[in-house]
Amino acid sequence: MTFACSSAMEDGVTTQDTGPMDPKDMIAAAARLGPSVDFGKASSDYGKFRAGFPEAFFSRLAEQIALRAGLKALDIGTGTGAVARSLARRGLDVIGVDPSREMMQEGAEIARREGVSVDFREGRAETLAFADQSFDIVTAGQCWHWFERERAAAEAFRVLKPGGHLVICHFDWLPLRGNVVEATEHLIVEANPAWMLAGGTGVYPHWPADMANAGFAGLETRSFDVAQPYSHEAWRGRIRASAGIKASLNAEATARFDETLVAMLRARFPEDPLAVPHRVWWIVGERP
């Protein structure tokens, strides 16, 4: 089994008080928060404001695993289908699975407007309702930490054809010292102390073990950084759509948070649009 990484984690990725979050702590925090999160409550903001993976990610992935029209793809934890829709635009036959009907309804409307075809189906990554060896590729974008990971990895292995690939990918904001992400994360924690996901680095060192233990081979990780533009309005919508705000809080608390974020942006980060640093990180494994 081989591992490769195209870029190292940046120095200085930190929060003001505690430094970068330990990945084990992030996984545990996500597990604790998960039962209280309902992304369906945030589906409209999620679909409208949350930037999807940059096209450069799909171009690099296509070179890495030979994405091509006609392949059968399954996108687990699809949400509003950002990954699924991008694969469909490349001609793949895509099914998206998610437990949130509201998120998938939002995704289906976006797909209709974009003129792409995705088959959205309600379901969970841990209990996939598909026959063995049904897919050429399984993707999981920005969601692996919400799953029962051992079961999800085993299910992905089961439904993949021999030679098929599992791709776990992330597109994370980076809280660098003094930047808008760090300041925003502090506001989220103040509004919702149960949200303990601040200080991420956009790198996930435990996912390779998940895949190796499920039987995947030829594991390879890659990453690159981008500055994602967000208007003030879009950044507010992006944050409302996060697990710590609209998906967890009631409407009154969400509105109070939004007012606080507006004031902070005006006072400390008046440039509009913002250039928000993000890291794209992914791991690919092959079913032998």
Side-chain angles (χ1 to χ4, degrees):
M1 180 172 60
T2 60
F3 296 84
C5 186
S6 63
S7 66
M9 186 172 65
E10 282 187 17
D11 293 335
V13 179
T14 182
T15 60
Q16 183 173 338
D17 300 320
T18 61
M21 169 171 270
D22 183 277
K24 288 184 179 179
D25 293 340
M26 184 276 291
I27 294 168
R32 289 192 299 269
L33 184 64
S36 68
V37 173
D38 179 4
F39 280 112
K41 292 163 50 179
S43 59
S44 59
D45 281 333
Y46 202 107
K48 184 176 181 180
F49 294 114
R50 186 160 182 160
F53 282 75
E55 182 58 28
F57 162 66
F58 295 99
S59 296
R60 297 184 191 196
L61 185 63
E63 296 174 354
Q64 187 179 4
I65 62 172
L67 290 181
R68 62 185 183 276
L71 292 180
K72 294 190 65 175
L74 176 66
D75 185 41
I76 56 177
T78 194
T80 58
V83 172
R85 287 182 277 113
S86 291
L87 294 175
R89 279 193 289 272
R90 291 180 171 269
L92 279 73
D93 180 9
V94 186
I95 295 175
V97 169
D98 198 273
S100 173
R101 188 173 303 175
E102 295 87 352
M103 289 283 278
M104 290 190 295
Q105 287 172 341
E106 183 74 20
E109 176 59 24
I110 298 171
R112 185 193 64 78
R113 293 198 304 265
E114 293 179 347
V116 298
S117 177
V118 175
D119 181 1
F120 288 98
R121 302 189 191 182
E122 191 171 350
R124 294 185 176 276
E126 299 87 351
T127 53
L128 296 172
F130 304 101
D132 296 355
Q133 302 183 21
S134 298
F135 296 95
D136 300 294
I137 178 173
V138 173
T139 54
Q142 209 72 21
C143 55
W144 196 255
H145 50 293
W146 299 118
F147 297 156
E148 295 178 46
R149 291 157 29 228
E150 183 175 350
R151 293 177 64 194
E155 279 290 85
F157 188 92
R158 179 183 66 80
V159 301
L160 276 167
K161 300 173 184 177
H165 294 91
L166 171 62
V167 181
I168 303 173
C169 50
H170 292 266
F171 182 41
D172 290 354
W173 65 44
L174 296 177
L176 306 176
R177 188 175 295 112
N179 78 348
V180 66
V181 178
E182 182 191 67
T184 301
E185 285 190 343
H186 282 298
L187 294 184
I188 298 173
V189 173
E190 289 175 1
N192 184 1
W195 185 83
M196 301 179 66
L197 302 178
T201 64
V203 176
Y204 294 85
H206 296 285
W207 297 178
D210 293 346
M211 294 173 67
N213 286 331
F216 288 95
L219 305 184
E220 183 178 4
T221 64
R222 299 187 182 186
S223 68
F224 63 92
D225 288 6
V226 297
Q228 177 65 39
Y230 271 100
S231 68
H232 279 201
E233 178 188 11
W235 183 244
R236 289 167 51 202
R238 165 68 182 90
I239 301 305
R240 286 196 304 269
S242 72
I245 302 301
K246 203 170 186 178
S248 299
L249 303 179
N250 61 33
E252 182 180 356
T254 297
R256 285 199 305 268
F257 171 84
D258 193 53
E259 291 174 359
T260 303
L261 180 57
V262 167
M264 187 271 286
L265 291 174
R266 288 175 177 170
R268 296 184 56 189
F269 304 97
E271 63 275 17
D272 194 353
L274 302 161
V276 182
H278 279 65
R279 177 162 294 137
V280 182
W281 182 96
W282 71 100
I283 179 169
V284 172
E286 181 177 342
R287 173 178 175 163

